[in-house]
């Protein structure tokens, strides 16, 4: 995918993908290029990796199904208007969404069975999801205060054929709202407020599991520390310098002080 930088809030998604990488989750590679169309220079664009088999190989995962919820009924051009004016509409869209597969695979049926069994309550979440990886993706989302990437129309799920478990794949994870703190877990708080503005219904049964909540908190105690944040920025320093140099061609005064805000 090609995105003009402002669509991904400049480097905010770049940071998001890098923290997914740091925590051992499936992440999309982001790069930069100058886009020319018919010899007309259109300036700097971000190149975002597609969600496919190559993504799994680069993330050291066995080739397995990738499933996702269809966007049937969801009109992107009026998305926010729909949520605010008709909060139940998105819930209905989720309920009516089909579970689709990204490509043909002999285990697609099993991956869909797990998700359907989980959503209906017939299969407990610990027998459907890799709890460690799923809790990790929620923990770093809580730390940053951004969970757009886990909404049903963004998130995808990788089925590990050896584990017989699903692992969420975050999409469009941006360090965009580093201040959405509540007195409790953001996702849990949204459920208690009837989830009017952000649709995370797929994870509702997860948050009925005390074991899952305890696992998220355990992960947060590791990630939401100065030690972890410092090690993350130390590891990405060279790549960060390059990314900021690229972005300076688009916005000469752009300087995202993400580390300071996280701390």
């Amino acid at each position: 995918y090609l995105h003009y930088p402002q669509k991904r809030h400049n480097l905010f998604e770049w940071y998001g993908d890098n923290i997914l990488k740091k925590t051992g989750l499936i992440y999309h590679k982001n790069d930069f290029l100058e886009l020319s169309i018919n010899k007309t220079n259109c300036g700097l664009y971000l190149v975002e990796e597609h969600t496919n088999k190559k993504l799994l190989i680069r993330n050291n995962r066995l080739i397995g199904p990738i499933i996702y919820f269809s966007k049937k009924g969801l009109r992107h051009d009026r998305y926010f208007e729909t949520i605010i004016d008709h909060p139940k509409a998105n819930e209905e869209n989720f309920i009516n969404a089909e579970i689709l597969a990204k490509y043909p695979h002999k285990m697609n049926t099993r991956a869909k069975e797990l998700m359907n069994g989980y959503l209906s309550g017939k299969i407990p979440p610990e027998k459907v999801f890799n709890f460690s990886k799923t809790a990790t993706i929620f923990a770093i989302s809580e730390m940053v205060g951004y969970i757009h990437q886990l909404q049903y129309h963004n998130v995808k799920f990788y089925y590990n054929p050896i584990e017989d478990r699903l692992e969420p794949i975050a999409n469009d994870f941006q360090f965009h709202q580093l201040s959405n703190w509540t007195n409790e877990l953001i996702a849990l708080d949204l459920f208690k407020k009837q989830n009017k503005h952000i649709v995370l219904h797929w994870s509702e049964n997860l948050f009925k599991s005390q074991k899952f909540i305890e696992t998220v908190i355990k992960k947060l105690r590791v990630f939401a520390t100065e030690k972890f944040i410092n090690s993350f920025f130390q590891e990405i320093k060279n790549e960060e310098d390059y990314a900021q140099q690229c972005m300076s061609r688009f916005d000469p005064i752009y300087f995202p002080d993400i580390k300071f805000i996280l701390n």
Side-chain angles (χ1 to χ4, degrees):
Y1 298 105
L2 290 175
H3 299 293
Y4 54 94
Q6 286 176 317
K7 188 170 190 297
R8 291 302 194 233
H9 297 277
N10 296 337
L11 291 182
F12 281 10
E13 186 176 27
W14 184 90
Y15 284 106
D17 284 323
N18 272 279
I19 202 166
L20 291 171
K21 177 182 178 181
K22 164 73 172 174
T23 52
L25 299 173
I26 296 174
Y27 71 99
H28 296 81
K29 187 176 180 181
N30 274 272
D31 210 339
F32 310 89
L33 58 73
E34 292 281 344
L35 177 65
S36 294
I37 300 177
N38 296 331
K39 298 183 179 181
T40 300
N41 190 305
C42 300
L44 182 72
Y45 270 69
L46 303 179
V47 187
E48 180 185 325
E49 185 177 16
H50 190 50
T51 306
N52 54 22
K53 293 180 182 178
K54 291 182 180 180
L55 172 76
L56 297 179
I57 293 170
R58 195 182 50 72
N59 278 274
N60 298 314
R61 300 296 197 274
L62 296 170
I63 298 297
I66 294 177
I67 60 174
Y68 63 100
F69 298 108
S70 72
K71 300 178 183 179
K72 185 177 180 180
L74 186 66
R75 291 186 57 189
H76 286 277
D77 57 335
R78 301 185 64 187
Y79 173 63
F80 292 105
E81 179 184 334
T82 301
I83 293 177
I84 295 170
D85 295 340
H86 309 285
K88 287 296 181 182
N90 253 17
E91 183 178 354
E92 292 172 4
N93 290 338
F94 169 75
I95 293 171
N96 294 324
E98 297 178 71
I99 299 175
L100 305 176
K102 290 292 289 184
Y103 42 74
H105 193 283
K106 63 182 180 179
M107 299 299 288
N108 278 345
T109 299
R110 175 56 181 166
K112 293 179 183 180
E113 284 176 353
L114 276 180
M115 179 59 77
N116 280 317
Y118 159 76
L119 292 173
S120 67
K122 294 178 180 178
I123 307 178
E126 61 268 20
K127 292 188 177 181
V128 176
F129 295 97
N130 179 310
F131 256 28
S132 179
K133 289 183 171 64
T134 305
T136 295
I137 205 167
F138 272 92
I140 62 174
S141 300
E142 295 285 345
M143 180 178 76
V144 173
Y146 191 75
I147 52 179
H148 172 74
Q149 69 282 358
L150 296 178
Q151 293 190 56
Y152 87 89
H153 60 275
N154 277 333
V155 69
K156 296 175 179 62
F157 303 89
Y158 159 65
Y159 172 80
N160 186 312
I162 302 299
E163 295 181 356
D164 190 35
R165 295 291 187 274
L166 297 174
E167 173 186 350
I169 303 174
N171 184 53
D172 194 10
F173 179 24
Q174 304 176 33
F175 277 30
H176 178 44
Q177 293 172 306
L178 297 158
S179 60
N180 266 8
W181 295 96
T182 69
N183 292 325
E184 54 193 330
L185 297 181
I186 297 172
L188 191 63
D189 195 40
L190 285 169
F191 290 133
K192 289 184 176 182
K193 292 179 179 177
Q194 300 180 335
N195 215 356
K196 290 183 177 179
H197 302 295
I198 299 183
V199 181
L200 284 172
H201 299 293
W202 71 267
S203 61
E204 190 166 2
N205 287 342
L206 271 171
F207 278 86
K208 292 177 182 177
S209 166
Q210 187 64 28
K211 181 180 178 182
F212 180 72
I213 293 176
E214 289 172 355
T215 307
V216 172
I217 293 171
K218 182 179 179 181
K219 297 286 185 180
L220 263 173
R221 287 175 175 158
V222 176
F223 303 145
T225 62
E226 189 174 3
K227 179 181 179 181
F228 175 83
I229 293 169
N230 285 339
S231 68
F232 168 62
F233 282 95
Q234 185 174 354
E235 287 181 19
I236 67 169
K237 186 178 187 311
N238 291 338
E239 292 86 353
E240 183 183 32
D241 289 344
Y242 168 73
Q244 290 188 4
Q245 287 174 12
C246 290
M247 197 56 61
S248 69
R249 295 159 62 186
F250 176 75
D251 182 353
I253 62 173
Y254 177 69
F255 182 74
D257 202 352
I258 304 294
K259 182 179 178 181
F260 173 78
I261 299 171
L262 273 179
N263 276 323

